[in-house]
Amino acid sequence: MPATTLSIPTPDGRSDAFAAFPDGGGTYPGVLMYPDAFGPRPALWGMARELAGHGYYVLVPNVFHRHRPAPVFDLPEHITTENRPALFGQIMPLIEAHTAERALGDAAAYLDFLTAQREVRGGPIATIGYCMGAVLAMRTATAHPDRVAAVAGFHPGALVTDQPDSPHRRIPGLTAEVHLGLAENDMTPEAITEISQAFDAAGVGYSCEIYPGTVHGFTMADTDAFDEAGSRRHWERLLALLESTLE
């Protein structure tokens, strides 16, 4: 499976990125994969390779590129429940610095770069994300409705907040089909209702599913949160979404 590291021009300098794609010499639908709060790292790059094996060009940008290249944090080989608090002491300042304005500037740059790659087929792409990456995937899809046909978020971050720039407030402009795969405590029933009403009002196809027995981070094989059944369900839902929207 071909894979490469790349450098993407953004409004705030160059963003390093990882890309994986099939070894077929053709062109493939593009997928922009946003990482979770731990950032791009071998576990994410492995997921990109797995998705590329199903016939997609997958770009994983370093959303923390303003701070340092990936892997951004000095992570243990396996992230345990015990070492999460100390890690988040390092991570939260970078998350807080990644404002909606910065995210949208990056998103436009990532889309331009992805769709210009010679291995990427013309037409709309998909945005997918994990944890905070789900927020970035949604922001990208709502800001570029003519360029994004599918958006998927797994164990998402704060999609519904009381802030003026809450991601759910931008859903009226959405045209992409959506799947949200939630751990059992990711979103309150009230938040699920609110975002579902926003999808209904936008007239888009969507599913918002709680994956039973899972905790936040269930797709990440390098953490204690990983759940094999939840990960398998995530791949099933993601591949079905991409097949129905990008093929």
Side-chain angles (χ1 to χ4, degrees):
M1 186 67 57
T4 186
T5 55
L6 301 163
S7 178
I8 303 173
T10 79
D12 292 324
R14 302 193 75 87
S15 170
D16 54 303
F18 174 90
F21 46 93
D23 188 14
T27 60
Y28 308 94
V31 177
L32 179 56
M33 176 186 282
Y34 285 111
D36 64 353
F38 296 117
R41 59 195 191 280
L44 261 295
W45 299 328
M47 293 168 74
R49 286 189 177 94
E50 183 166 352
L51 182 55
H54 292 276
Y56 300 96
Y57 183 106
V58 186
L59 181 68
V60 185
N62 176 14
V63 299
F64 298 129
H65 64 88
R66 292 169 182 83
H67 304 276
R68 60 189 68 91
V72 179
F73 307 104
D74 184 16
L75 300 172
E77 186 173 337
H78 188 83
I79 300 166
T80 67
T81 303
E82 290 73 24
N83 57 33
R84 284 176 69 93
L87 290 172
F88 270 93
Q90 305 174 46
I91 293 168
M92 285 308 299
L94 275 64
I95 294 175
E96 291 165 358
H98 197 64
T99 61
E101 181 181 4
R102 284 183 168 184
L104 291 174
D106 283 354
Y110 296 151
L111 285 175
D112 288 345
F113 186 89
L114 173 60
T115 55
Q117 299 311 295
R118 60 184 175 84
E119 298 91 354
V120 176
R121 184 180 305 166
I125 61 98
T127 61
I128 66 176
Y130 302 87
C131 180
M132 66 169 281
V135 173
L136 301 177
M138 187 65 71
R139 289 199 189 282
T140 303
T142 55
H144 301 277
D146 57 329
R147 306 181 73 179
V148 180
V151 56
F154 299 95
H155 42 88
L159 291 172
V160 178
T161 75
D162 58 4
Q163 298 301 308
D165 64 353
S166 175
H168 82 288
R169 300 190 195 282
R170 308 299 180 192
I171 288 174
L174 187 69
T175 59
E177 187 170 340
V178 180
H179 175 72
L180 297 180
L182 311 177
E184 290 191 341
N185 295 315
D186 274 334
M187 296 176 69
T188 66
E190 294 78 13
I192 293 173
T193 297
E194 189 163 358
I195 201 168
S196 296
Q197 289 173 344
F199 290 140
D200 287 333
V204 298
Y206 73 95
S207 55
C208 188
E209 180 182 1
I210 297 173
Y211 291 14
T214 59
V215 299
H216 185 74
F218 60 82
T219 62
M220 296 296 146
D222 61 346
T223 76
D224 276 356
F226 180 71
D227 181 88
E228 186 172 347
S231 175
R232 185 166 55 249
R233 184 184 295 242
H234 135 267
W235 283 117
E236 291 169 354
R237 299 296 191 268
L238 176 58
L239 292 171
L241 174 69
L242 298 182
E243 183 177 353
S244 67
T245 54
L246 298 185
E247 298 300 323

